[in-house]
Amino acid sequence: MSLTGVELHHDTLKNIGPNMVLVVISDDKGEPRVVKIDHQSIAKDKPFLKVTADSSPKTIQAAGGCWKRINGDLKWFNPCV
């Protein structure tokens, strides 16, 4: 799967709209780059991001699951089915 998107200013992280998918990548100098993913590039009804279960104190959630694009909306599934 290949996702497409456009780069946005990092201030976008302060105002994230519904069903927005952002990817934050650090460049070779460690500077954050924010990319807004185009929903049309996300496969329909299939997991596009799987989250593994982790109990590390650095993670927010211990349970795993996945995100899918269903009828144009992003839905969380736990377990990932």
Side-chain angles (χ1 to χ4, degrees):
M1 169 180 41
S2 178
L3 299 173
T4 61
V6 295
E7 187 170 359
L8 303 174
H9 193 271
H10 61 78
D11 284 344
T12 303
L13 295 172
K14 295 178 184 174
N15 188 22
I16 299 174
N19 288 306
M20 185 181 289
V21 178
L22 300 175
V23 176
V24 179
I25 305 168
S26 64
D27 64 16
D28 58 342
K29 296 178 181 99
E31 294 294 320
R33 312 282 297 252
V34 178
V35 177
K36 179 182 176 185
I37 301 300
D38 177 17
H39 273 226
Q40 299 306 314
S41 70
I42 300 172
K44 295 177 185 175
D45 303 323
K46 296 182 180 183
F48 74 94
L49 179 63
K50 292 183 180 181
V51 179
T52 57
D54 191 350
S55 60
S56 168
K58 293 184 179 183
T59 60
I60 292 176
Q61 95 186 36
C66 65
W67 288 97
K68 294 181 183 181
R69 183 177 144 218
I70 307 289
N71 297 325
D73 290 328
L74 303 177
K75 304 285 183 183
W76 174 253
F77 290 86
N78 182 5
C80 186
V81 291

